[in-house]
Amino acid sequence: GYLIRVPSNFPVSPALPQNFTARFIGVPNNGTLPLTIVHNPPAALNLIGNPYPSAINAVSLITDPGFNVNGNFLGGTIYLWSHNTNFNLATNQYEYNDYAIWNILGGVNTYYNGTLGAGNTNAPNGNIAAGQGFFIKTVASGTAYFRNSMRTGGTTNTNNNFYRSASASSTVDDDPTAAYEKHRIWLDISNNGNGYKQLLLGYIQDGTDGMDRLFDGEMVDNGN
């Protein structure tokens, strides 16, 4: 997936910018591709990426229709880094608020005040763009699979919602979860210290009162 970090000997001060050229080397993938999943609680997150030169349907990735393999290893929630706020020089940390989160119930966006960063402020909708890297919760170690049947290159606008630090498209893409009847409310919570969290509450077809792998997502937070 599209993920790069500048070497640590580069200056972190915005006043001392330097160019860094990153090389992404490889060939476009096709066909069924195995994916090694490592389940390591308590975080149990794996960083993976869309390996195809076209968008993939996240619903198909986590439900694996026709094969029913991926659900044994992959959780149902994905976390996309938007980089909407800059590196915090006081704490030497990035903002955990910059993870946009998606599962079949829906997506939540990340904070953006108009002056920091230039990432994607759209809520993810379940179309994972070509080369897009993301974290996903896991339930067990083993081998999951990417399959050509998950690819959505033949539909309109499914490859536009890409998350990175450069400017991004604001196109609202097709909703791959439209087959699920759902009723939802989004709550935005913020304060004067730039703290922000968007919360999605909803009722959805096949949902239960318990923790549902496909519909309930945990926050990524740093405990503050």
Side-chain angles (χ1 to χ4, degrees):
Y2 180 97
L3 182 76
I4 192 71
R5 194 183 192 285
V6 174
S8 58
N9 60 345
F10 272 58
V12 296
S13 170
L16 300 171
Q18 291 185 24
N19 290 329
F20 173 71
T21 301
R23 299 182 64 198
F24 291 88
I25 301 170
V27 297
N29 290 295
N30 186 41
T32 300
L33 302 172
L35 175 64
T36 299
I37 297 299
V38 178
H39 182 63
N40 187 18
L45 287 165
N46 279 204
L47 176 61
I48 62 178
N50 176 3
Y52 297 118
S54 60
I56 60 174
N57 183 317
V59 178
S60 296
L61 174 67
I62 61 178
T63 60
D64 201 15
F67 298 92
N68 301 319
V69 173
N70 289 358
N72 297 320
F73 310 108
L74 299 178
T77 300
I78 65 174
Y79 303 83
L80 299 129
W81 179 251
S82 70
H83 207 320
N84 281 327
T85 50
N86 290 327
F87 187 75
N88 189 324
L89 296 177
T91 63
N92 289 322
Q93 293 180 334
Y94 289 101
E95 294 293 333
Y96 282 74
N97 295 334
D98 278 3
Y99 281 106
I101 303 173
W102 175 92
N103 59 34
I104 287 178
L105 182 63
V108 295
N109 64 18
T110 64
Y111 175 74
Y112 181 61
N113 66 7
T115 59
L116 297 176
N120 192 338
T121 59
N122 302 322
N125 60 8
N127 293 306
I128 304 173
Q132 174 72 66
F134 56 95
F135 282 101
I136 189 166
K137 286 278 187 177
T138 64
V139 295
S141 297
T143 302
Y145 294 90
F146 289 105
R147 308 183 195 276
N148 274 344
S149 58
M150 300 172 184
R151 300 172 66 175
T152 60
T155 58
T156 304
N157 293 331
T158 57
N159 210 30
N160 287 358
N161 206 9
F162 193 83
Y163 289 80
R164 58 175 179 175
S165 57
S167 60
S169 168
S170 59
T171 301
V172 177
D173 299 336
D174 301 330
D175 181 3
T177 69
Y180 290 82
E181 181 184 359
K182 46 189 177 290
H183 305 273
R184 302 170 294 180
I185 298 173
W186 282 263
L187 300 175
D188 290 354
I189 305 171
S190 61
N191 62 22
N192 292 333
N194 288 338
Y196 174 85
K197 187 67 68 177
Q198 185 175 83
L199 180 68
L200 170 58
L201 302 174
Y203 291 93
I204 188 168
Q205 172 188 334
D206 300 330
T208 74
D209 289 336
M211 187 72 177
D212 295 318
R213 180 181 74 90
L214 297 178
F215 311 134
D216 295 311
E218 300 173 72
M219 290 192 306
V220 173
D221 209 342
N222 59 356
N224 62 0

